[in-house]
Amino acid sequence: MEMGVALDSAQPAVKSPQETRAPARPSPLRSQGTASGGGGSARPSSGGTAVRSDPLAGLLARAVAARATIDADPHEPAEPLADAPLATASTPLISRMSERRLQRLTVTEHSFKEGKCGARRVEWIFALDKAAPEDGYIVQQIDTTQGVATCPTVAGAPTAVSPFWEAWFVKKGDKVDWTTTRDVWTDGSERPARPSTNGMLDDFGTIKFFAKSVTGDLGDFGKKSGDKSSDWSPGKEPQSGALPSTKTKPKWWDGTPLEGPAFRSAKAVWNCCSNKPSEHTNVVTRIPAPGVPTPPKSGSTWYLPWTWFD
Amino acid sequence: MTDVSLVEAFSGLTPWPSDRDLSGDEWADYVDAAGQLRDAEPREVTRALGVALAADEGTGDNERRLFVLLRVLFDLPRSAPAAQRLVYKGWVNWPAPDDRDEVDLGWPVAFKDDRPRLVATFEGSMGPRYAAVEEYDSFRERFAFRALPEPSALRSGAAG
């Protein structure tokens, strides 16, 4: 038996995270008033089935909304650099800061659902604020840390799982990869409820954007690299799905990316050992916080500290 | 058969559970839906798969429905070289290849004596949305449809 949970049909069904019916949070990147087909109000109220009476019309509306989302500048109105101290100085250093400020990699929460006993599902959008200056890859390192025990044993210190890296190809002139254009969101992390257990599980992602001229050809979603010696390929790390992925740290990972790093995380700490379900706990925290893209919009946390005293 | 009716057929399926096997009635629903897919035009199927995925609204339910459904629809080898496993969703419990570097392409669904069962539960997922359309096209190019059992034979009360 390969499964981690015994398949005993006599076990009582445990509510899935979907059954909690937490409303999806509207993405701050979404355009307003154009996504009628993608609005939550069209969902049936029972059965957990997201099927509309007019699914084709709904899909079209979602596609239009997604296009509007991706084309829109997520930080409009733009924060002019002139708002910041020293912004009018014309030194080469300030020029570099300006470029960096205008070309950012942003992570935004697209949806979030929380359940019981470690259950949660988060979807994120990874987007460049400005069009990519050349072909490149949004690359993410995933670090999973977990410590889980079956009750009454108390989970010990969390341990780290070997990291892996996955890549989304972004064409020159685009802000997101093509799967984000199609699917509206870029990356997700989901775990179901684990009744009669306690513990912690954190899926932490570090995200950077590199030029293809630096990374080489990593391939694309469902497509192998043209470089037969590449460490990257869809399926190298099955948890990445069809994305090009690798379990080997890229030699350019610690170099200077065109953008980033940005971060995203979904972490649950739970205890479902009590005989009383009302005493079960499940605390879910995630990065970025709801409605707050990373890096933060605030200029005060974006500029390097020394710039204030230059 | 239209893509709208296919989407409605998907919606009645129980998503891949995290804590149990599917019941006989739930498997019968899958076999019934697989029969509808088998009899539909591939173009209608891909449209329906796309519509269902787009309608998921952050639950992941349709990903877990369609992933199981395609494994009911196609007759997939229980043992094949790992290179033949094309991964279209980042499930966290994909089995590693065995000592012969082979994998079960039908995972997590197995059929024995015309009866389906789960060999693994849903334990979580990572990464982008399930690429069900791409997987359907890939399976259709490489594998035959399964000789499906009669759904009525799987329902509760049926002999077996």
Side-chain angles (χ1 to χ4, degrees):
Chain A
M1 190 71 77
E2 298 166 356
M3 67 204 68
V5 177
L7 293 182
D8 179 358
S9 60
Q11 285 184 351
V14 178
K15 275 194 172 182
S16 71
Q18 295 75 34
E19 289 175 296
T20 62
R21 292 278 165 246
R25 294 177 183 276
S27 164
L29 295 186
R30 282 195 165 186
S31 59
Q32 298 298 308
T34 58
S36 59
S41 60
R43 284 178 56 77
S45 58
S46 63
T49 304
V51 177
R52 300 176 185 80
S53 57
D54 56 341
L56 295 179
L59 179 62
L60 180 60
R62 285 179 63 86
V64 171
R67 191 68 255 174
T69 294
I70 290 158
D71 287 342
D73 183 337
H75 297 296
E76 286 293 342
E79 298 172 13
L81 191 61
D83 287 347
L86 306 177
T88 56
S90 57
T91 64
L93 178 62
I94 294 300
S95 176
R96 289 201 300 275
M97 286 173 56
S98 172
E99 288 176 10
R100 183 155 184 79
R101 180 165 174 72
L102 291 174
Q103 176 66 245
R104 296 195 309 195
L105 170 59
T106 303
V107 178
T108 308
E109 184 177 285
H110 175 252
S111 76
F112 169 67
K113 293 190 185 301
E114 182 177 7
K116 296 178 179 178
C117 304
R120 80 290 189 287
R121 179 183 170 97
V122 192
E123 295 170 353
W124 297 277
I125 299 168
F126 300 168
L128 301 171
D129 288 6
K130 301 294 181 186
E134 56 187 294
D135 285 357
Y137 290 93
I138 293 175
V139 182
Q140 176 171 230
Q141 174 180 329
I142 294 288
D143 291 286
T144 298
T145 308
Q146 60 180 337
V148 184
T150 301
C151 306
T153 303
V154 177
T159 57
V161 179
S162 297
F164 62 89
W165 290 261
E166 55 194 10
W168 289 260
F169 176 62
V170 181
K171 283 179 61 176
K172 177 182 178 181
D174 287 350
K175 296 176 184 174
V176 298
D177 84 305
W178 65 268
T179 68
T180 303
T181 304
R182 180 188 65 177
D183 301 337
V184 184
W185 52 279
T186 309
D187 183 37
S189 175
E190 179 177 14
R191 302 286 173 157
R194 301 175 74 166
S196 301
T197 67
N198 65 98
M200 182 280 268
L201 197 154
D202 183 15
D203 286 324
F204 190 94
T206 303
I207 307 134
K208 304 175 183 177
F209 177 65
F210 290 93
K212 185 177 179 180
S213 57
V214 170
T215 65
D217 179 8
L218 305 182
D220 196 354
F221 185 86
K223 184 181 174 186
K224 290 183 179 179
S225 164
D227 176 4
K228 292 194 186 321
S229 65
S230 175
D231 288 331
W232 293 73
S233 180
K236 278 281 180 82
E237 171 46 67
Q239 292 185 70
S240 294
L243 289 173
S245 59
T246 183
K247 295 178 181 177
T248 305
K249 183 178 180 178
K251 57 181 181 294
W252 37 262
W253 176 251
D254 289 332
T256 303
L258 285 178
E259 289 306 321
F263 307 96
R264 93 340 175 236
S265 167
K267 175 181 176 182
V269 180
W270 71 95
N271 187 339
C272 289
C273 290
S274 171
N275 291 330
K276 300 177 181 176
S278 61
E279 295 178 352
H280 292 175
T281 60
N282 184 33
V283 179
V284 178
T285 54
R286 67 252 200 224
I287 299 170
V292 180
T294 59
K297 191 174 181 180
S298 166
S300 62
T301 56
W302 178 247
Y303 289 110
L304 296 171
W306 52 262
T307 61
W308 300 104
F309 307 103
D310 193 0
Chain B
M1 185 62 58
T2 68
D3 45 359
V4 174
S5 59
L6 288 176
V7 172
E8 289 172 349
F10 303 155
S11 70
L13 304 175
T14 300
W16 183 19
S18 63
D19 61 339
R20 62 180 177 86
D21 199 346
L22 295 165
S23 70
D25 285 341
E26 290 168 334
W27 278 121
D29 292 339
Y30 269 98
V31 170
D32 188 53
Q36 294 182 53
L37 284 190
R38 178 195 59 201
D39 297 338
E41 289 292 327
R43 183 172 51 87
E44 300 293 337
V45 174
T46 56
R47 277 172 59 91
L49 293 173
V51 168
L53 289 169
D56 204 86
E57 294 287 351
T59 69
D61 285 354
N62 284 348
E63 291 184 319
R64 291 188 284 134
R65 289 182 173 108
L66 300 180
F67 182 73
V68 172
L69 179 59
L70 292 188
R71 281 146 183 78
V72 173
L73 173 62
F74 288 98
D75 192 5
L76 304 171
R78 292 297 309 274
S79 187
Q84 290 188 19
R85 181 173 70 182
L86 306 180
V87 175
Y88 292 95
K89 177 64 185 179
W91 309 117
V92 300
N93 54 330
W94 277 112
D98 63 17
D99 293 342
R100 295 173 300 169
D101 198 32
E102 293 188 338
V103 295
D104 174 5
L105 295 187
W107 181 92
V109 177
F111 272 75
K112 185 178 182 183
D113 300 330
D114 275 349
R115 288 190 167 271
R117 66 185 176 92
L118 288 176
V119 296
T121 52
F122 168 64
E123 294 185 18
S125 68
M126 306 271 277
R129 198 175 73 180
Y130 172 39
V133 173
E134 287 87 342
E135 180 155 72
Y136 169 76
D137 288 339
S138 171
F139 282 169
R140 201 163 57 86
E141 286 180 8
R142 297 189 292 154
F143 305 107
F145 290 135
R146 185 185 301 281
L148 295 168
E150 280 297 321
S152 59
L154 302 174
R155 297 200 182 277
S156 54

